[in-house]
Amino acid sequence: MKKLLSLCLIFTITIGFSQSRFDKVEIKSEKLSDNVYVLFGAGGNIGVSVGDDGVFVIDDQFAPLSEKILAEIKTLSDKPLKFLVNTHWHGDHTGGNVNMAKAGATIIAHDNVKARLLNPRRDGSNNPKEALPVITFNDKLSITINNEPVAVFHVANAHTDGDALLYFTESNVLHTGDTYFKGRYPYIDLKSGGSVKGYIEAAKRGLMVIDENTKIIPGHGSVSNKEEYKTFLKMLETIEANVSKAIADGKTEEDVKADASITKQYDDLGYGSGFINNERIRLTFYKSLKGE
């Protein structure tokens, strides 16, 4: 009985902490063009296009934040919610899908996003039908909304196997999803089909479609620009070269994990201060490059 009471207490404290964490989150918007905004909260950055056609949203963070997100969108437009694109399948980008669908959004994502959302969740349950994309694509998609063509294109095996980048052609705004973490080491989800080489190619692909005036919405971090994006790519290529050399020299996984010199240049700039620290990024690069 005491053990059961202890477990109940732990569960109550955990739920309470989680709920209070979301309760304190503020959703803030930043205007990037006449009709495109970015919303910051907890989880992946949200892109929003508003205009006469309605509201177009990119990613939706966590379900407990949906009410706040929708309230913030209402301050930008009184038009109905039309479309939601998921840049990939992770919960901090798709957690609000059910709520957004109920609010009127038609969900769009890459084929592999739907495939992964169809898999059982960690607790063995399945995502409800409303959480799943209604429209999927394989390579690229064009959406014209609010008098602006939006280019949606897949980048293979980058952060995951279902990543999409979106470029607002008139506003000159690029949403990268989690193929770009501004000023920090990225999370490359190897178990979900991500890879170092694919991640590097995704950054190159994004850089191909932008110019010096483009405003970039990264998956995480503040609004960015081409120069910062190029610096991020340089970081990826430098660590790739360093880890590839270590592998060629016969270094083991533990050797690379422990060798701070491989990432020191960017550790000193604070890249390891986020979700992925310096040891974890070295380990990720080793596993991916060794497997390739």
Side-chain angles (χ1 to χ4, degrees), residues 40-68:
F40 302 104
N45 292 332
I46 298 171
V48 178
S49 168
V50 298
D52 291 339
D53 295 333
V55 178
F56 174 68
V57 179
I58 305 169
D59 290 337
D60 51 28
Q61 300 190 357
F62 300 100
L65 295 174
S66 295
E67 186 175 344
K68 292 181 180 181

Side-chain angles (χ1 to χ4, degrees), residues 203-222:
K204 290 179 178 178
R205 181 87 179 274
L207 283 163
M208 285 175 62
V209 302
I210 65 174
D211 60 32
E212 302 301 328
N213 297 316
T214 305
K215 294 181 179 179
I216 303 172
I217 304 174
H220 297 269
S222 60

Side-chain angles (χ1 to χ4, degrees), residues 50-241:
V50 298
D52 291 339
D53 295 333
V55 178
F56 174 68
V57 179
I58 305 169
D59 290 337
D60 51 28
Q61 300 190 357
F62 300 100
L65 295 174
S66 295
E67 186 175 344
K68 292 181 180 181
I69 291 167
L70 289 169
E72 183 63 23
I73 290 173
K74 280 294 184 184
T75 69
L76 309 178
S77 172
D78 60 0
K79 298 293 184 180
L81 185 59
K82 287 293 188 70
F83 297 104
L84 165 70
V85 173
N86 293 143
T87 60
H88 61 288
W89 76 277
H90 288 154
D92 63 323
H93 297 255
T94 64
N97 276 12
V98 171
N99 296 329
M100 293 296 172
K102 289 179 179 178
T106 296
I107 302 175
I108 303 169
H110 186 265
D111 294 336
N112 290 337
V113 173
K114 184 170 185 176
R116 291 195 177 276
L117 290 176
L118 281 168
N119 290 331
R121 295 182 289 197
R122 290 181 179 179
D123 62 1
S125 64
N126 294 315
N127 280 304
K129 180 181 177 181
E130 294 85 355
L132 305 176
V134 174
I135 299 171
T136 64
F137 64 96
N138 178 261
D139 181 36
K140 58 187 176 181
L141 182 70
S142 181
I143 301 170
T144 300
I145 189 167
N146 299 324
N147 298 316
E148 178 169 29
V150 183
V152 186
F153 50 97
H154 172 55
V155 284
N157 303 106
H159 173 60
T160 67
D161 59 7
D163 299 300
L165 277 66
L166 293 91
Y167 179 61
F168 292 86
T169 57
E170 299 296 327
S171 298
N172 197 12
V173 173
L174 177 70
H175 193 306
T176 66
D178 278 4
T179 64
Y180 178 25
F181 284 59
K182 179 183 172 180
R184 65 188 81 173
Y185 294 134
Y187 172 40
I188 304 176
D189 188 352
L190 303 183
K191 293 181 179 179
S192 293
S195 70
V196 166
K197 291 190 180 298
Y199 205 103
I200 289 172
E201 288 304 312
K204 290 179 178 178
R205 181 87 179 274
L207 283 163
M208 285 175 62
V209 302
I210 65 174
D211 60 32
E212 302 301 328
N213 297 316
T214 305
K215 294 181 179 179
I216 303 172
I217 304 174
H220 297 269
S222 60
V223 174
S224 188
N225 56 51
K226 186 175 183 179
E227 195 59 37
E228 292 173 339
Y229 200 13
K230 287 168 65 177
T231 298
F232 179 77
L233 173 60
K234 180 64 175 177
M235 176 273 295
L236 296 172
E237 293 178 325
T238 299
I239 297 177
E240 179 196 28

